[in-house]
Amino acid sequence: MHDPVLPDPTLPENSPSARARRAALTILAAAAVVILPTACDYAVANTGGSGSGSGYGYGYGGHSGHSAGSSTVQTVPAGNTGTLEPSAAPTSSVEPTTDATETTDATETTDATETTDATETTDAEETTDAEETTDAEETTDATETTTAAPPPPAPLEILGNDCSTSDLDAHTGFQDAPRCVAIAFGEVAAAAQSPSLLITDAPDTVAVGEAFTLQVSTRNLVRDRFLGAAAGGYYRESSFLTADGIQRGHFHTACRMLASTDVAPDAEPVPAFFLATQDNQGGAAPDQVTIPVTGLPDAGVAQCAVWAGDGSHRVPMMQRANQTPAFDIVRITVQ
């Protein structure tokens, strides 16, 4: 700071020398006003003061040691010779409070960023875990399904599929046995087209020798094929279907007298009544056929049965083993 210049008391106040001295003092004072702000500049970056000098250490609020946003330059009129009081000396070129606050903000920002990263990592890990869990569950389900599946069946031990290993004579188409039938089974209908039949009407009681009728309904059976057993057509040809997949053949009706209703009957005796029906009727739709029975010879319980046959008298084959073959039975009391 410049030392104040005072009037010389040895000179008269209005003397030329005094006037010249006062003029010189005025010039010096004006120069001091111009030079003073430049002398107070510091090469320090502005850390928060307002004004056009932000960031360069000059301008309003440009040097440190003064409150941010206030003017630190004292303006005095030209010619004033009073002492220009300087502002308090700066204690630091950087305001600690502002720096500390900004440092804290920076730290908080970093923490926030780190927290976000940690959250994102956690989410990613959770997603991965979820995916891994899903994969594990799918693997488990697949394993359980595989485990629950039954093992493949053991290879069947087939005794034979022709008569090449049989000791019996070949069957000739006549009703004699024991023989070995070498004829192929032939064609089998689909499950939905398998033949079936049902006795839809029969008397409960008839007299000995009394004629009566049975009503029989057949389905999926074309009654157009019958090879006479007495002529050697028994078990002589394979099974055949129509072009629509319907069984070709006929059906039988037989009534026999039961010696007992407590044990299975003997199958050898010839039945009391027998009839094969081949009327060139029937088809996929169910129909009704009337079977006339001429009468039963003895009192007791009669078993009347009907069953389908292919062209060579065999019960038609079924697609599945658990399908019921085409047959039905009723019991009639004969008095």
Side-chain angles (χ1 to χ4, degrees):
M1 188 62 62
H2 307 284
D3 294 332
V5 179
L6 301 178
D8 189 350
T10 60
L11 295 176
E13 183 177 354
N14 293 322
S15 66
S17 298
R19 287 196 298 271
R21 187 178 183 85
R22 285 197 298 271
L25 289 174
T26 301
I27 293 171
L28 290 174
V33 171
V34 175
I35 294 172
L36 180 59
T38 303
C40 292
D41 285 347
Y42 293 91
V44 177
N46 188 348
T47 57
S50 62
S52 61
S54 176
Y56 294 95
Y58 57 88
Y60 299 118
H63 68 86
S64 62
H66 306 290
S67 299
S70 63
S71 176
T72 59
V73 177
Q74 297 184 19
T75 304
V76 296
N80 187 352
T81 58
T83 304
L84 183 62
E85 295 291 337
S87 299
T91 57
S92 174
S93 61
V94 178
E95 295 180 0
T97 302
T98 303
D99 291 344
T101 302
E102 291 179 356
T103 302
T104 303
D105 293 343
T107 303
E108 291 175 356
T109 302
T110 302
D111 293 342
T113 302
E114 292 175 355
T115 302
T116 303
D117 293 341
T119 303
E120 292 176 355
T121 301
T122 302
D123 292 343
E125 291 176 354
E126 291 176 356
T127 303
T128 303
D129 292 342
E131 293 176 353
E132 291 177 356
T133 302
T134 304
D135 293 341
E137 292 176 354
E138 292 177 355
T139 302
T140 302
D141 292 342
T143 303
E144 292 176 355
T145 302
T146 303
T147 303
L156 297 177
E157 295 183 3
I158 299 174
L159 297 178
N161 55 16
D162 57 27
C163 293
S164 61
T165 60
S166 175
D167 295 333
L168 300 177
D169 293 336
H171 194 276
T172 62
F174 291 92
Q175 301 174 85
D176 53 2
R179 298 279 180 159
C180 183
V181 179
I183 302 301
F185 277 43
E187 298 175 348
V188 56
Q193 295 177 297
S194 293
S196 66
L197 54 75
L198 184 71
I199 300 174
T200 59
D201 186 63
D204 294 328
T205 304
V206 296
V208 173
E210 178 186 358
F212 61 91
T213 61
L214 299 173
Q215 292 291 326
V216 179
S217 175
T218 71
R219 181 195 298 263
N220 289 325
L221 180 64
V222 176
R223 303 183 297 266
D224 70 343
R225 189 69 180 160
F226 176 90
L227 297 180
Y234 190 65
Y235 296 164
R236 285 296 302 275
E237 75 176 13
S238 300
S239 175
F240 287 93
L241 308 177
T242 67
D244 297 328
I246 305 302
Q247 179 71 56
R248 297 183 63 183
H250 58 279
F251 73 89
H252 307 99
T253 302
C255 293
R256 64 181 176 181
M257 302 303 297
L258 297 177
S260 171
T261 58
D262 295 327
V263 297
D266 183 0
E268 183 181 4
V270 175
F273 173 83
F274 177 81
L275 179 68
T277 302
Q278 182 260 306
D279 57 0
N280 296 321
Q281 301 294 317
D287 63 359
Q288 294 284 338
V289 179
T290 300
I291 304 300
V293 180
T294 56
L296 300 175
D298 301 315
V301 177
Q303 180 193 64
C304 292
V306 293
W307 67 97
D310 62 12
S312 197
H313 305 277
R314 290 168 301 190
V315 175
M317 296 175 290
M318 315 295 283
Q319 177 181 339
R320 301 192 321 268
N322 63 355
Q323 286 185 270
T324 302
F327 77 95
D328 196 14
I329 295 174
V330 295
R331 293 183 184 180
I332 301 173
T333 300
V334 182
Q335 297 177 340

